[in-house]
Amino acid sequence: MSITFDGLASGLNTQDIISKLLRVEQQPINRLNQRKQQIQKERDAWKDLGTRLQNLASALSSLVQRSTVVGFTVRPSDSNAPFTASARPGAVAGTYSIQIQQLATSTTLRSTGPIGAEIDPNAVLNNTNLRSGVTAGSFTINGVAITVDPAVDTLNDVVDRINASGAGVVASLVTVDGRLRLKIEAATPGGPLQLGALGDTSNFLSVTSLLGAPRTGDAIVGTRSLAVVKTSVPLNQAMLATPVSGAGTLTINGVAINYDPAVDSLSTIVNRINSSNAGVTASYDATSDRVVLTAKTTGSLSITVSDTGNLATALGLDPNQQQLGQNAVYSLDGGATWQYSASNIVSDAIPGVTLTLTRTMSSPYSFTVEPDTDGAVSAVRRFVDQFNSVLSFIAEKTSYDATTKTAGTLLGDSAVRAVESTLRRLVTSPAINAGGRFRTLADVGISFGPVGSAVGTTNQLQLDESKLRAALQENPDAVFELFGATSRATLTTPGDIVRVAGTPRPPASGRYVITSDGAGNLTAEFRDQANQLLWSATGTITAGGSNTTLVPGLTLSAATTLTGATSEISVTQQEGVLTQLGRYLNGILGRDGLVRVRGDAFEQQLRSIDQQIDRFQQRLDDRKAQLVRQFATLERILAEMQTQGTQLQGQIVKMLGAS
């Protein structure tokens, strides 16, 4: 730590003097910091511009997809259509009608009867396979409390106790769907039947499914059987009516499901079936105590079941007792001709349209397939908004306010002006060799305003929505060609190349000549329309194989036998307006594009300025240390002189006193 002397001898404010001396030498650093802040603003502005250009590219990307522009929709005649529908590009517009006689259903295979062992009414309640355990306490019928102790009472004991309680009811066990249920009946016609009270301490009425059950006539019957299979314990403890004798393999539709009754529960088996590829959904219906297999597909296809053990028998799965699904039956001509489908999803009745049938009907229902202008208009609106966002941002950053004498961050930046100019030029240029009747975006309502617009009103892209919708209704394919047409490659002379797919790059008209030596070696030449050789390359291919690298953008497929025959591919250049714009945006936003290059340049400038600031700061620190040392030396010398003066004065005083 350095020690400084701040005017102890001289009386000077040396720190203030040093600070003022250094202030002049600080100016280069101040100027560099100001330049750094300006560059940071420019960098951030370009970063923001890049984000807006990326958003524009994203909005544009959907418009060069045929499905966005050449879309169709199915418009039902009312809000109660017997189907849901979707339409694909290539659908045939028109008015149709459909009559649905029958919906497709799935094949089901249910247990032929309840699979749990029947309850023993003479067994102690705790030892029976009731749906859940009975709690000790009391329950109420018609205001009379009846006690139950599951550790002592049997079901018959409780029935007898109800009948002897004086509650005015008769309890009995009845068989419904092959299984016992508890029935409570009024002792006299029209007599009261109030089951349960808030003060009940036993759940007996709930366990027997009486609580909440409806009264029918003078009786209430439990809504479910008393007994049920225990689904969460191993099969050999599940209280099945037919015990599973040992491990085995249950095969459903050819898919093997292994089981071990000492380990696997019914829930485990159901989950194992559902996670397999057996093509069925398995479930357990606790109300009827049955297992149900439902085919995942509709139609009259059977479910096959076999078993190396007896699990299928224990579960009552008899493939001869299944209920086959039915096929959908519909007509598109008012019932004159009926069509059949194994599925309720019908995609081959009307070209480009998929109908999902939802209900039957006795008379034809009409609907219309028409161009879907909403999706395309929405996508165009997003594109216009993003385009204007870019223009507005550039205008703001390159503006100059004469009143405040304030310049925009990018004023004088020729690169950003070039971006704006190119965007405006591309969006107003015609499509290249577009096949439809539309040549420019203005033809479909996208422009900078009509001819003769007032000065200052044409800075933003504008959308005439009615004009765009009219064009989409008239010829959506032509609108797509205007937006997103790309060059076409056609195999005009097959040879060792028998098929070609893709979009050639670059998009120039001409022809590719592919020569082959018959051994898999290829040479490609591209010649323009004047037959001038512009490009050549070599590659390889195998018989029956393909090559994706010889011709940029194209996949070449070879004949099964190579003979050395030459192939020719004709290229017709086409580029929609937005295809051209998209290619430009991809270029300036790419790895070596303008936005990335400018960003890297700004970062390089900032690093250079930081290095200069560090050098100037080091010099400044050295100068400050030098000044501190010089003033410290001055103070020390002055202090020494003052000390010497004091001593001399003392000696003079002594001399004068002695005289």
Side-chain angles (χ1 to χ4, degrees):
M1 181 180 69
S2 62
I3 300 175
T4 62
F5 300 88
D6 193 10
L8 295 177
S10 66
L12 300 174
N13 186 346
T14 57
Q15 289 189 3
D16 183 59
I17 294 172
I18 291 173
S19 176
K20 291 178 178 178
L21 289 172
L22 293 177
R23 194 173 301 159
V24 176
E25 300 187 37
Q26 176 77 28
Q27 293 305 309
I29 295 179
N30 293 340
R31 288 192 293 271
L32 286 171
N33 278 322
Q34 291 172 359
R35 178 57 182 154
K36 180 179 179 180
Q37 292 175 1
Q38 178 61 30
I39 293 174
Q40 287 173 332
K41 290 180 180 178
E42 294 175 14
R43 177 201 60 187
D44 293 344
W46 268 93
K47 184 181 296 185
D48 195 348
L49 176 60
T51 300
R52 292 168 188 264
L53 290 170
Q54 187 61 62
N55 292 339
L56 174 60
S58 298
L60 178 151
S61 63
S62 66
L63 289 172
V64 294
Q65 301 295 323
R66 180 174 290 274
S67 58
T68 302
V69 181
V70 191
F72 286 84
T73 186
V74 177
R75 193 177 303 280
S77 57
D78 58 35
S79 60
N80 192 31
F83 55 76
T84 59
S86 62
R88 304 179 296 278
V92 178
T95 300
Y96 302 86
S97 68
I98 188 170
Q99 186 172 345
I100 305 170
Q101 186 183 80
Q102 178 174 283
L103 293 178
T105 59
S106 298
T107 296
T108 57
L109 174 57
R110 296 171 57 87
S111 303
T112 53
I115 61 176
E118 183 58 279
I119 190 171
D120 180 0
N122 293 312
V124 174
L125 291 175
N126 277 350
N127 297 331
T128 61
N129 57 321
L130 285 168
R131 289 181 176 273
S132 59
V134 174
T135 55
S138 64
F139 58 93
T140 305
I141 299 178
N142 289 338
V144 177
I146 301 161
T147 60
V148 59
D149 184 350
V152 176
D153 296 330
T154 67
L155 183 58
N156 279 337
D157 291 339
V158 180
V159 169
D160 292 342
R161 192 168 300 142
I162 292 172
N163 291 333
S165 67
V169 297
V170 176
S172 62
L173 296 176
V174 296
T175 300
V176 179
D177 194 23
R179 282 293 184 266
L180 291 177
R181 300 189 188 189
L182 185 57
K183 175 182 178 181
I184 305 294
E185 188 173 12
T188 59
L193 273 180
Q194 175 58 48
L195 305 186
L198 291 176
D200 287 355
T201 56
S202 173
N203 63 348
F204 180 81
L205 294 176
S206 296
V207 171
T208 55
S209 302
L210 285 167
L211 196 64
R215 173 172 178 163
T216 303
D218 287 329
I220 296 177
V221 179
T223 56
R224 299 186 294 182
S225 60
L226 295 170
V228 73
V229 166
K230 299 184 183 301
T231 59
S232 59
V233 300
L235 291 170
N236 59 10
Q237 304 172 33
M239 303 296 288
L240 287 164
T242 301
V244 181
S245 57
T249 301
L250 176 68
T251 301
I252 302 174
N253 295 331
V255 177
I257 309 294
N258 297 321
Y259 61 86
D260 183 345
V263 177
D264 298 321
S265 66
L266 180 58
S267 293
T268 301
I269 298 299
V270 167
N271 291 334
R272 193 169 296 162
I273 294 171
N274 290 335
S275 61
S276 74
N277 295 321
V280 298
T281 300
S283 61
Y284 171 67
D285 183 353
T287 299
S288 63
D289 192 27
R290 286 169 168 82
V291 169
V292 182
L293 301 182
T294 304
K296 292 182 178 180
T297 58
T298 55
S300 56
L301 301 175
S302 62
I303 299 173
T304 62
V305 176
S306 62
D307 195 353
T308 61
N310 75 325
L311 177 61
T313 301
L315 299 182
L317 298 178
D318 182 357
N320 295 318
Q321 300 295 318
Q322 62 185 296
Q323 181 178 351
L324 293 177
Q326 60 186 19
N327 297 320
V329 182
Y330 64 94
S331 171
L332 293 173
D333 54 11
T337 305
W338 293 102
Q339 304 294 327
Y340 301 87
S341 171
S343 170
N344 288 316
I345 301 175
V346 179
S347 58
D348 57 356
I350 301 172
V353 176
T354 297
L355 301 174
T356 301
L357 311 182
T358 57
R359 64 181 175 86
T360 60
M361 52 196 306
S362 59
S363 59
Y365 181 89
S366 63
F367 59 96
T368 302
V369 178
E370 59 188 27
D372 179 15
T373 60
D374 289 343
V377 169
S378 177
V380 170
R381 192 180 297 114
R382 287 195 300 272
F383 163 74
V384 169
D385 289 344
Q386 292 300 331
F387 193 94
N388 288 335
S389 172
V390 173
L391 294 187
S392 297
F393 181 78
I394 292 176
E396 174 194 346
K397 296 302 179 182
T398 58
S399 65
Y400 180 77
D401 189 331
T403 303
T404 61
K405 293 182 172 45
T406 303
T409 304
L410 300 179
L411 180 65
D413 190 325
S414 60
V416 75
R417 283 297 190 186
V419 170
E420 178 189 23
S421 176
T422 303
L423 291 176
R424 288 181 177 274
R425 175 178 58 80
L426 289 174
V427 84
T428 54
S429 297
I432 299 175
N433 296 329
R437 76 173 189 84
F438 305 120
R439 292 290 179 266
T440 68
L441 294 184
D443 292 339
V444 296
I446 307 168
S447 69
F448 284 100
V451 176
S453 297
V455 175
T457 63
T458 59
N459 295 328
Q460 296 274 292
L461 203 58
Q462 300 174 24
L463 172 61
D464 184 340
E465 188 171 312
S466 61
K467 190 173 183 179
L468 176 60
R469 287 187 184 276
L472 289 167
Q473 287 282 358
E474 174 193 338
N475 194 336
D477 287 300
V479 177
F480 173 71
E481 289 295 312
L482 170 66
F483 287 170
T486 55
S487 294
R488 299 195 308 268
T490 305
L491 183 64
T492 53
T493 305
D496 278 357
I497 303 302
V498 295
R499 189 167 56 257
V500 61
T503 301
R505 300 191 305 268
S509 294
R511 62 192 177 96
Y512 288 96
V513 180
I514 314 292
T515 58
S516 168
D517 65 357
N521 299 305
L522 303 177
T523 299
E525 295 181 348
F526 181 72
R527 295 181 177 273
D528 63 15
Q529 291 178 308
N531 203 34
Q532 295 293 315
L533 177 62
L534 302 181
W535 169 90
S536 65
T538 59
T540 60
I541 201 167
T542 58
S546 62
N547 179 294
T548 60
T549 58
L550 180 62
V551 179
L554 295 184
T555 298
L556 309 178
S557 299
T560 55
T561 302
L562 301 179
T563 63
T566 298
S567 310
E568 287 196 13
I569 302 169
S570 174
V571 176
T572 302
Q573 182 184 8
Q574 283 187 307
E575 273 200 299
V577 174
L578 300 187
T579 304
Q580 299 173 62
L581 180 57
R583 183 156 53 86
Y584 170 70
L585 290 173
N586 290 337
I588 64 174
L589 292 170
R591 179 181 296 275
D592 300 319
L594 174 63
V595 174
R596 177 71 174 269
V597 170
R598 289 306 302 270
D600 291 344
F602 286 130
E603 294 298 340
Q604 179 61 40
Q605 292 180 60
L606 291 173
R607 286 193 294 270
S608 176
I609 289 175
D610 284 337
Q611 292 170 359
Q612 294 179 60
I613 290 175
D614 288 342
R615 289 195 296 269
F616 275 111
Q617 187 64 52
Q618 184 60 52
R619 294 176 189 174
L620 195 64
D621 291 343
D622 293 343
R623 177 62 174 151
K624 180 178 180 180
Q626 180 186 31
L627 290 172
V628 168
R629 288 194 301 271
Q630 289 175 342
F631 275 99
T633 300
L634 173 63
E635 291 293 333
R636 187 174 64 254
I637 292 173
L638 290 174
E640 290 175 353
M641 292 176 63
Q642 289 175 353
T643 300
Q644 292 174 358
T646 301
Q647 292 175 348
L648 179 60
Q649 183 179 12
Q651 292 176 0
I652 293 173
V653 170
K654 287 181 180 180
M655 291 174 60
L656 293 174
S659 63

